[in-house]
Amino acid sequence: MSDAPELRIEGRCAPGFEPVREAFARNFAERGEVGASVCVTHRGESVVDLWGGLADPATSRAWARDTVCVVFSCTKAATALAAHRLVERGLLDLDAPVADLWPEFAAQGKGGATLRMMLDHTVGLPALREKLKPDCLLDPAYMVERLAAEPPFWEPGERTGYHALTYGFLVGEMIRRATDQSLGAVFAQEVAAPLGLDFHIGLPAEQEARVAPMILFRPPKDAPETAFSRAAREPGSIPNLFLFNHGTWAGGGVNTPEGRAAEIGAASGVANARALAGMFAPLASSAGPRLLAPESSAALARASSAGHLDATLKIPTRFGPGFMLAMDNRARGLDSLVIGPNAFGHVGAGGSVGFADPDLEMSFGYAMTKMGPGLLLNPRGQSLCDAARACARSA
């Protein structure tokens, strides 16, 4: 007889969206889900808001309605929205030289770089060559100084290469210089507070008790080789520098109060599925509050960069200004993000995801504690996306 606690899935699911709940339950039964939340809005209304499993297996603490976790690169979308809000207010310009606000950034041939290039991963700084100190990601001033002095890996704007960790310091410094406030403060004022989101870039200490620690993914020794894993073994390559030259945060620091309090604009956001779906809801439907003007929101779904071989991830990628677009690489057996043709959002390491699909007037969020394999979505998140899109099409 098993001593495992019976799985409880709590929350609500509107009629017509039951397949999302069924897919959520299958993730626990068949795909090793430990604790997670999923949320869907449709035409401005919440139609799925579910959570279940364990927030912390070590203590058997259940995942509750207000449990939050680190959503890794979904934070990039939050950072981008803060920047776009400032663009609408005239405090930032997507296509002006970065050096207008940040003169030091023009060093080493980066004088033509723009904020748009930072947002769409073409600015040429996906990693840093010089060995970084262990707590580098907790020290924005340190990272900003080194990025300004770094030669680009290519002429800014000429190639796409995912800026997995540098993105947040680049865009965050532009936000800081435009407002004289930190990224976390601006995101709270411009996005989280107006929308009532439980989403933090820099988690306050008093919120720590609600956190589900991340169960880090370790690739098995017999994992199939990929173009990314091959490149990662080459000293000095972009994948190698990205994986092995970013300090200690991702290897354990993410599960410390200091790591969650850090304002790492590419990776340290703390949220849940409700917050992810809520952040994208105003961009998916005209029902409810607006976050950006309609023309600004529509521009987020247009590809401003794409590549058949991303310089970092070594797969085909497509980006709008701050957002991942649909990347269906299944025919080639490669990592994918299968969402609508005009949808835009972001995945996080291990499988979290949030996106807006204006064609379906739907927003989606998924956050979990057990990280999975792959560079984009793994089967847990993709199965939920597929079910939600099918339901919204039929509604």
Side-chain angles (χ1 to χ4, degrees), residues 221-299:
K221 291 183 178 179
D222 59 351
E225 187 173 68
T226 65
F228 176 80
S229 66
R230 283 194 298 274
R233 293 196 297 270
E234 300 171 12
S237 72
I238 292 172
N240 175 269
L241 291 169
F242 151 52
L243 281 182
F244 302 112
N245 190 33
H246 62 238
T248 58
W249 180 83
V254 64
N255 279 332
T256 65
E258 296 79 14
R260 290 183 286 261
E263 296 186 13
I264 305 170
S268 72
V270 177
N272 52 28
R274 190 180 309 109
L276 288 169
M279 182 172 72
F280 283 105
L283 308 171
S285 172
S286 58
R290 300 294 306 181
L291 189 63
L292 298 173
E295 59 272 20
S296 300
S297 182

Side-chain angles (χ1 to χ4, degrees), residues 64-127:
R65 185 182 190 278
D66 68 346
T67 296
V68 290
C69 63
V70 174
V71 293
F72 291 101
S73 286
C74 294
T75 314
K76 290 183 174 71
T79 297
L81 285 175
H84 283 290
R85 288 276 288 183
L86 298 183
V87 169
E88 286 210 337
R89 290 174 50 195
L91 296 175
L92 285 174
D93 185 326
L94 288 173
D95 298 307
V98 165
D100 288 355
L101 269 182
W102 185 359
E104 301 89 341
F105 194 79
Q108 303 284 356
K110 302 193 297 294
T114 66
L115 175 59
R116 188 184 300 276
M117 294 174 192
M118 290 176 168
L119 288 165
D120 70 11
H121 302 273
T122 62
V123 77
L125 294 173

